[in-house]
Amino acid sequence: MKNEVFERSLAAYICFAIGDALGATTEFMLPREIKEKYGIHDKIIGGGWLHLKAGNVTDDTEMSLALGESILETGGYSVQGAAEHFAKWMKKKPVDIGSTVRRGIVNFITKGSVVSLYSTFSAGNGAAMRNLPVVLYCLKDWKWFEEMTISQCHITHNNELSDMATLVLGEVTKVLIETGDKKAALEIVSELIKKDPSFSHSKYNGEASGYIKDTFRTVMHYFFDSDNLYETIVRTVNQGGDADTNGAIAGMLAGALYGMEGIPSKWLKTLDQDVVKLITKQTEDLLNAPMDVVLL
């Protein structure tokens, strides 16, 4: 069972990076534009508005790795450590950084605050996109998951919609890693939709922006409407919009469900191999690291 949990966890993280790399090419494009230029976009070729090299990832994967590093280097989760690692990452001048993320990190650097001000404009997907290391770290003791998640979210995104979606995405990822049960995942999602029907993906209208509800609906539509890893990720990134983040989160769920054997070899070979090595080591280390949590 332990080997299966590691394998699904690793697949979730690697497919997160694959979705990021694939989606970076089609970010901010419309589906018809993607179809006209690529037909079906299913190759990791880089380019896009960021002019990436094939296999490179964006802030989604980089911030996730930074959060994971903060846990491992601090010897446990610390919101201060997470904020410091985000600041360290930003100072390296990443290829992309969202405005809400930047504002939150600047708030930490200048004021020392690990909680950004509440804002209706903070209902983006920037906190949800980087939470996988918290999921993996908490698998051994899930009671800490909610508090840790909210604390890392609020460094940059202090908004209840962001909180709700990030928590549900974590719960879904957990059940997929531990059981591979897609029906159980749907039940978790359905509970959120009962609380707030506007998260429902049942009548998906194609909106794929960085707004957390759009991301949630996009990911859930393609995850539950597809029956393999390739289809889940490809359909998501061909929707355009915030395709790198949407693709990354869809990849995370698909990897957790279908495992390493579902990943096309061409994607694994093309993805930045340094990123693959970092993810592989971080996944193992997070699963094995002892729990130590400092929320304030």
Side-chain angles (χ1 to χ4, degrees), residues 120-187:
T120 56
F121 296 103
S122 294
N125 56 21
M129 75 182 188
R130 64 184 185 232
N131 201 49
L132 180 56
V134 171
V135 176
L136 300 182
Y137 183 59
C138 288
L139 285 177
K140 68 183 77 63
D141 191 353
W142 198 248
K143 70 182 181 185
W144 292 107
F145 171 72
E146 182 171 346
E147 289 180 277
M148 283 175 58
T149 294
I150 298 302
S151 74
Q152 82 81 10
C153 284
H154 286 187
I155 295 170
T156 58
H157 289 68
N158 189 349
N159 182 278
E160 69 277 7
L161 298 179
S162 168
D163 294 348
M164 291 166 66
T166 306
L167 289 170
V168 168
L169 285 166
E171 295 282 354
V172 169
T173 304
K174 175 183 184 287
V175 77
L176 291 172
I177 287 173
E178 292 183 339
T179 70
D181 189 338
K182 197 173 184 180
K183 184 179 178 182
L186 181 58
E187 289 172 356

Side-chain angles (χ1 to χ4, degrees), residues 13 16-17 57 59-73 85-86 130 133 274-280 282-283 286:
Y13 212 154
F16 180 93
V57 294
D59 53 333
D60 301 77
T61 304
E62 290 172 353
M63 288 201 80
S64 297
L65 286 168
L67 181 56
E69 286 171 10
S70 79
I71 294 171
L72 297 170
E73 291 181 10
H85 276 72
F86 291 159
R130 64 184 185 232
D274 288 335
V275 169
V276 173
K277 290 176 185 176
L278 285 170
I279 286 173
T280 302
Q282 192 174 105
T283 299
L286 286 170

Side-chain angles (χ1 to χ4, degrees), residues 3 22 33 98 101 108 118 128 146 175 211 223 237 269 279:
N3 287 338
L22 271 170
E33 294 173 328
V101 168
F108 168 71
Y118 172 84
E146 182 171 346
V175 77
Y211 177 47
F223 176 68
V237 300
K269 291 176 182 176
I279 286 173

Side-chain angles (χ1 to χ4, degrees), residues 9-21:
S9 298
L10 179 60
Y13 212 154
I14 286 180
C15 285
F16 180 93
I18 285 171
D20 181 12

Side-chain angles (χ1 to χ4, degrees), residues 254-271:
L257 176 60
Y258 299 109
M260 291 296 293
E261 64 184 22
I263 306 174
S265 59
K266 63 179 181 180
W267 288 352
L268 268 177
K269 291 176 182 176
T270 310
L271 186 64

